[in-house]
Amino acid sequence: MTAVYRIRQGLRAVFAFSQEVELPLAAEYLTPELLTLFQRMRRSEQLHSLNVLRAVLAQDSTPHDLAVAALLHDVGKSRYPLGTWQKTLAVLVRGISPRLFEHWSQGNPANLWNRPFVVYVYHPAWSAQLITDAGASENAIWLVAHHQEPADQWNHHLLADLLRRLQQADDSN
């Protein structure tokens, strides 16, 4: 991802307060329990997730599991909310010094310095656990758990294709 993309993403997060979150759109795909999780996310993350949903809806026929994953792939970040500067720091360090990123991501998320790195690495697993506890389907859980992993490594063609679609939508938003 380019620096321009990250700057645009940061600006969208800063100005999220001025945009309406379309909860009815999310409610079309989420059970009440899953919608409660969606509402736990920061406004900027809700807007991001709705944009990811719109992007997957525009791609092709969208299975329900993919829509749920689009909306809740980042819900694990609600465990340790991050500021825009923290998200930016994690992305920059990961790009500049992967070894340092790896080291800091093994720290304690309660530590403010380690938090952005730990959240970056572990939020997919946390998201998957949260949606599991809220009754999501196995395929939605799988997509959420693996949304940061290369889709090419999976033998299950249907899920790998859905994962690619989720990643493409996520990366473009």
Side-chain angles (χ1 to χ4, degrees):
M1 288 176 236
T2 67
V4 173
Y5 167 80
R6 286 296 177 188
I7 291 169
R8 273 193 356 226
Q9 192 177 43
L11 288 173
R12 281 195 305 259
V14 168
F15 291 103
F17 72 89
S18 67
Q19 297 179 356
E20 183 180 342
V21 174
E22 293 180 55
L23 283 179
L25 178 58
E28 287 181 40
Y29 299 95
L30 302 176
T31 64
E33 295 82 7
L34 293 172
L35 186 61
T36 297
L37 287 179
F38 179 82
Q39 291 175 299
R40 284 178 45 184
M41 293 191 296
R42 288 185 165 205
R43 182 182 203 89
S44 61
E45 290 162 348
Q46 291 177 8
L47 292 168
H48 163 72
S49 293
L50 286 163
N51 286 336
V52 173
L53 173 65
R54 287 185 197 94
V56 297
L57 292 173
Q59 292 169 349
D60 201 358
S61 164
T62 303
H64 187 263
D65 296 330
L66 179 56
V68 170
L71 289 166
L72 295 173
H73 66 282
D74 285 340
V75 72
K77 292 178 180 180
S78 66
R79 286 179 90 178
Y80 298 98
L82 299 174
T84 303
W85 73 270
Q86 291 171 301
K87 294 176 190 178
T88 303
L89 178 65
V91 169
L92 290 174
V93 171
R94 184 172 179 249
I96 295 168
S97 179
R99 289 183 63 193
L100 196 54
F101 176 89
E102 179 67 27
H103 174 71
W104 286 338
S105 70
Q106 301 309 310
N108 182 347
N111 177 307
L112 287 179
W113 179 256
N114 292 107
R115 182 174 296 166
F117 308 101
V118 175
V119 169
Y120 187 98
V121 170
Y122 291 102
H123 83 271
W126 297 337
S127 298
Q129 186 59 58
L130 287 168
I131 71 170
T132 296
D133 294 345
S137 71
E138 284 186 37
N139 286 348
I141 294 164
W142 188 91
L143 290 167
V144 166
H146 300 287
H147 80 268
Q148 289 191 162
E149 299 173 13
D152 306 0
Q153 71 183 1
W154 303 105
N155 293 333
H156 193 288
H157 296 292
L158 176 61
L159 284 176
D161 181 54
L162 295 179
L163 183 59
R164 276 187 211 85
R165 290 178 59 191
L166 176 60
Q167 290 169 341
Q168 181 183 20
D170 190 20
D171 290 347
S172 67
N173 285 286

Short mmCIF file of all heavy atoms in Angstrom, two decimals, residues 43-73:
data_model
loop_
_atom_site.label_atom_id
_atom_site.label_comp_id
_atom_site.label_asym_id
_atom_site.label_seq_id
_atom_site.Cartn_x
_atom_site.Cartn_y
_atom_site.Cartn_z
N ARG A 43 -16.28 4.41 15.12
CA ARG A 43 -17.03 4.92 13.97
C ARG A 43 -16.23 4.78 12.68
O ARG A 43 -16.76 4.34 11.66
CB ARG A 43 -17.40 6.39 14.22
CG ARG A 43 -18.21 7.02 13.13
CD ARG A 43 -18.49 8.51 13.46
NE ARG A 43 -19.65 8.94 12.74
CZ ARG A 43 -20.90 8.86 13.18
NH1 ARG A 43 -21.14 8.34 14.36
NH2 ARG A 43 -21.89 9.29 12.45
N SER A 44 -14.94 5.11 12.72
CA SER A 44 -14.12 5.01 11.50
C SER A 44 -14.02 3.57 11.03
O SER A 44 -14.01 3.31 9.82
CB SER A 44 -12.72 5.59 11.75
OG SER A 44 -12.05 4.88 12.77
N GLU A 45 -13.97 2.62 11.96
CA GLU A 45 -13.89 1.21 11.58
C GLU A 45 -15.24 0.70 11.06
O GLU A 45 -15.28 -0.14 10.16
CB GLU A 45 -13.40 0.38 12.77
CG GLU A 45 -11.94 0.66 13.08
CD GLU A 45 -11.50 0.23 14.45
OE1 GLU A 45 -12.34 -0.10 15.31
OE2 GLU A 45 -10.28 0.25 14.68
N GLN A 46 -16.33 1.22 11.61
CA GLN A 46 -17.65 0.88 11.07
C GLN A 46 -17.78 1.37 9.64
O GLN A 46 -18.24 0.63 8.75
CB GLN A 46 -18.76 1.49 11.93
CG GLN A 46 -18.90 0.88 13.30
CD GLN A 46 -19.96 1.58 14.13
OE1 GLN A 46 -20.72 2.42 13.65
NE2 GLN A 46 -20.02 1.23 15.41
N LEU A 47 -17.34 2.61 9.39
CA LEU A 47 -17.41 3.16 8.04
C LEU A 47 -16.52 2.36 7.08
O LEU A 47 -16.91 2.07 5.95
CB LEU A 47 -17.00 4.63 8.05
CG LEU A 47 -17.98 5.57 8.76
CD1 LEU A 47 -17.34 6.94 8.98
CD2 LEU A 47 -19.28 5.69 8.00
N HIS A 48 -15.32 2.00 7.55
CA HIS A 48 -14.42 1.17 6.74
C HIS A 48 -15.10 -0.15 6.39
O HIS A 48 -15.10 -0.58 5.24
CB HIS A 48 -13.11 0.93 7.48
CG HIS A 48 -12.30 -0.19 6.93
ND1 HIS A 48 -11.62 -0.11 5.73
CD2 HIS A 48 -12.07 -1.45 7.41
CE1 HIS A 48 -11.00 -1.26 5.50
NE2 HIS A 48 -11.27 -2.09 6.51
N SER A 49 -15.67 -0.80 7.39
CA SER A 49 -16.30 -2.10 7.17
C SER A 49 -17.49 -2.01 6.21
O SER A 49 -17.69 -2.89 5.37
CB SER A 49 -16.74 -2.70 8.51
OG SER A 49 -15.61 -3.01 9.29
N LEU A 50 -18.25 -0.94 6.31
CA LEU A 50 -19.36 -0.74 5.36
C LEU A 50 -18.82 -0.52 3.95
O LEU A 50 -19.41 -1.02 2.97
CB LEU A 50 -20.25 0.42 5.81
CG LEU A 50 -21.15 0.11 7.00
CD1 LEU A 50 -21.68 1.39 7.63
CD2 LEU A 50 -22.30 -0.80 6.59
N ASN A 51 -17.71 0.17 3.83
CA ASN A 51 -17.09 0.35 2.51
C ASN A 51 -16.57 -0.97 1.95
O ASN A 51 -16.67 -1.24 0.76
CB ASN A 51 -15.96 1.38 2.57
CG ASN A 51 -16.48 2.80 2.69
OD1 ASN A 51 -17.61 3.09 2.30
ND2 ASN A 51 -15.68 3.67 3.25
N VAL A 52 -16.02 -1.81 2.83
CA VAL A 52 -15.57 -3.14 2.40
C VAL A 52 -16.78 -3.95 1.94
O VAL A 52 -16.73 -4.61 0.89
CB VAL A 52 -14.79 -3.86 3.53
CG1 VAL A 52 -14.48 -5.30 3.15
CG2 VAL A 52 -13.51 -3.10 3.84
N LEU A 53 -17.87 -3.87 2.68
CA LEU A 53 -19.09 -4.58 2.27
C LEU A 53 -19.55 -4.09 0.89
O LEU A 53 -19.84 -4.91 0.01
CB LEU A 53 -20.21 -4.37 3.29
CG LEU A 53 -21.58 -4.91 2.87
CD1 LEU A 53 -21.55 -6.43 2.73
CD2 LEU A 53 -22.66 -4.46 3.84
N ARG A 54 -19.62 -2.79 0.69
CA ARG A 54 -20.05 -2.25 -0.60
C ARG A 54 -19.14 -2.74 -1.73
O ARG A 54 -19.60 -3.05 -2.83
CB ARG A 54 -20.08 -0.73 -0.57
CG ARG A 54 -21.22 -0.17 0.24
CD ARG A 54 -21.27 1.36 0.13
NE ARG A 54 -22.08 1.90 1.19
CZ ARG A 54 -21.63 2.34 2.37
NH1 ARG A 54 -20.33 2.33 2.62
NH2 ARG A 54 -22.45 2.79 3.28
N ALA A 55 -17.85 -2.82 -1.45
CA ALA A 55 -16.90 -3.27 -2.47
C ALA A 55 -17.13 -4.74 -2.82
O ALA A 55 -17.08 -5.10 -3.99
CB ALA A 55 -15.46 -3.06 -1.99
N VAL A 56 -17.39 -5.60 -1.83
CA VAL A 56 -17.64 -7.01 -2.17
C VAL A 56 -18.99 -7.16 -2.86
O VAL A 56 -19.14 -8.00 -3.75
CB VAL A 56 -17.52 -7.99 -0.97
CG1 VAL A 56 -16.12 -8.00 -0.43
CG2 VAL A 56 -18.52 -7.74 0.11
N LEU A 57 -19.96 -6.35 -2.49
CA LEU A 57 -21.27 -6.41 -3.16
C LEU A 57 -21.15 -6.00 -4.63
O LEU A 57 -21.86 -6.53 -5.48
CB LEU A 57 -22.29 -5.51 -2.45
CG LEU A 57 -22.72 -5.95 -1.04
CD1 LEU A 57 -23.59 -4.87 -0.40
CD2 LEU A 57 -23.45 -7.28 -1.08
N ALA A 58 -20.22 -5.10 -4.92
CA ALA A 58 -20.03 -4.62 -6.29
C ALA A 58 -19.25 -5.62 -7.15
O ALA A 58 -19.29 -5.53 -8.38
CB ALA A 58 -19.31 -3.28 -6.28
N GLN A 59 -18.55 -6.55 -6.53
CA GLN A 59 -17.70 -7.49 -7.27
C GLN A 59 -18.50 -8.52 -8.04
O GLN A 59 -18.19 -8.85 -9.17
CB GLN A 59 -16.76 -8.24 -6.32
CG GLN A 59 -15.71 -7.41 -5.67
CD GLN A 59 -15.02 -8.17 -4.55
OE1 GLN A 59 -15.46 -9.23 -4.12
NE2 GLN A 59 -13.92 -7.62 -4.06
N ASP A 60 -19.48 -9.11 -7.40
CA ASP A 60 -20.16 -10.26 -7.96
C ASP A 60 -21.27 -10.64 -6.99
O ASP A 60 -21.49 -9.97 -6.00
CB ASP A 60 -19.15 -11.42 -8.10
CG ASP A 60 -19.60 -12.47 -9.11
OD1 ASP A 60 -20.70 -12.34 -9.66
OD2 ASP A 60 -18.83 -13.42 -9.33
N SER A 61 -21.89 -11.76 -7.25
CA SER A 61 -22.85 -12.32 -6.30
C SER A 61 -22.12 -12.51 -4.97
O SER A 61 -21.01 -13.05 -4.94
CB SER A 61 -23.36 -13.65 -6.85
OG SER A 61 -23.99 -14.37 -5.85
N THR A 62 -22.73 -12.06 -3.89
CA THR A 62 -22.04 -12.07 -2.61
C THR A 62 -22.70 -13.04 -1.63
O THR A 62 -23.81 -12.79 -1.17
CB THR A 62 -22.02 -10.65 -2.00
OG1 THR A 62 -21.40 -9.76 -2.93
CG2 THR A 62 -21.26 -10.62 -0.68
N PRO A 63 -22.01 -14.12 -1.29
CA PRO A 63 -22.54 -15.02 -0.27
C PRO A 63 -22.67 -14.30 1.07
O PRO A 63 -21.88 -13.41 1.39
CB PRO A 63 -21.49 -16.13 -0.17
CG PRO A 63 -20.69 -16.03 -1.42
CD PRO A 63 -20.74 -14.59 -1.84
N HIS A 64 -23.65 -14.72 1.85
CA HIS A 64 -23.91 -14.09 3.15
C HIS A 64 -22.66 -14.12 4.03
O HIS A 64 -22.36 -13.13 4.73
CB HIS A 64 -25.09 -14.80 3.83
CG HIS A 64 -25.53 -14.11 5.06
ND1 HIS A 64 -25.12 -14.50 6.30
CD2 HIS A 64 -26.34 -13.04 5.25
CE1 HIS A 64 -25.65 -13.71 7.21
NE2 HIS A 64 -26.40 -12.81 6.60
N ASP A 65 -21.92 -15.23 4.03
CA ASP A 65 -20.72 -15.34 4.87
C ASP A 65 -19.68 -14.28 4.52
O ASP A 65 -19.00 -13.76 5.40
CB ASP A 65 -20.09 -16.73 4.70
CG ASP A 65 -20.99 -17.84 5.19
OD1 ASP A 65 -21.80 -17.60 6.11
OD2 ASP A 65 -20.90 -18.96 4.64
N LEU A 66 -19.55 -13.97 3.25
CA LEU A 66 -18.60 -12.95 2.82
C LEU A 66 -19.06 -11.57 3.29
O LEU A 66 -18.25 -10.75 3.73
CB LEU A 66 -18.43 -12.97 1.30
CG LEU A 66 -17.49 -11.94 0.69
CD1 LEU A 66 -16.09 -12.02 1.31
CD2 LEU A 66 -17.42 -12.12 -0.82
N ALA A 67 -20.36 -11.31 3.23
CA ALA A 67 -20.88 -10.02 3.72
C ALA A 67 -20.62 -9.86 5.22
O ALA A 67 -20.20 -8.80 5.68
CB ALA A 67 -22.37 -9.92 3.41
N VAL A 68 -20.86 -10.92 5.98
CA VAL A 68 -20.60 -10.88 7.42
C VAL A 68 -19.12 -10.63 7.68
O VAL A 68 -18.76 -9.79 8.52
CB VAL A 68 -21.09 -12.18 8.10
CG1 VAL A 68 -20.61 -12.27 9.55
CG2 VAL A 68 -22.61 -12.28 8.04
N ALA A 69 -18.25 -11.33 6.96
CA ALA A 69 -16.81 -11.15 7.14
C ALA A 69 -16.39 -9.73 6.78
O ALA A 69 -15.53 -9.14 7.46
CB ALA A 69 -16.04 -12.17 6.31
N ALA A 70 -16.96 -9.17 5.73
CA ALA A 70 -16.63 -7.80 5.34
C ALA A 70 -16.96 -6.83 6.47
O ALA A 70 -16.20 -5.90 6.76
CB ALA A 70 -17.39 -7.43 4.07
N LEU A 71 -18.08 -7.05 7.11
CA LEU A 71 -18.52 -6.14 8.17
C LEU A 71 -17.77 -6.33 9.49
O LEU A 71 -17.63 -5.37 10.26
CB LEU A 71 -20.02 -6.31 8.41
CG LEU A 71 -20.92 -5.78 7.30
CD1 LEU A 71 -22.34 -6.29 7.47
CD2 LEU A 71 -20.87 -4.25 7.27
N LEU A 72 -17.28 -7.53 9.77
CA LEU A 72 -16.73 -7.82 11.10
C LEU A 72 -15.27 -8.27 11.11
O LEU A 72 -14.75 -8.68 12.15
CB LEU A 72 -17.60 -8.86 11.80
CG LEU A 72 -19.03 -8.38 12.10
CD1 LEU A 72 -19.87 -9.52 12.64
CD2 LEU A 72 -19.01 -7.20 13.07
N HIS A 73 -14.56 -8.15 9.98
CA HIS A 73 -13.17 -8.62 9.95
C HIS A 73 -12.26 -7.88 10.92
O HIS A 73 -11.26 -8.43 11.36
CB HIS A 73 -12.61 -8.57 8.51
CG HIS A 73 -12.46 -7.20 7.96
ND1 HIS A 73 -13.53 -6.47 7.47
CD2 HIS A 73 -11.36 -6.43 7.82
CE1 HIS A 73 -13.09 -5.29 7.06
NE2 HIS A 73 -11.78 -5.24 7.26
#
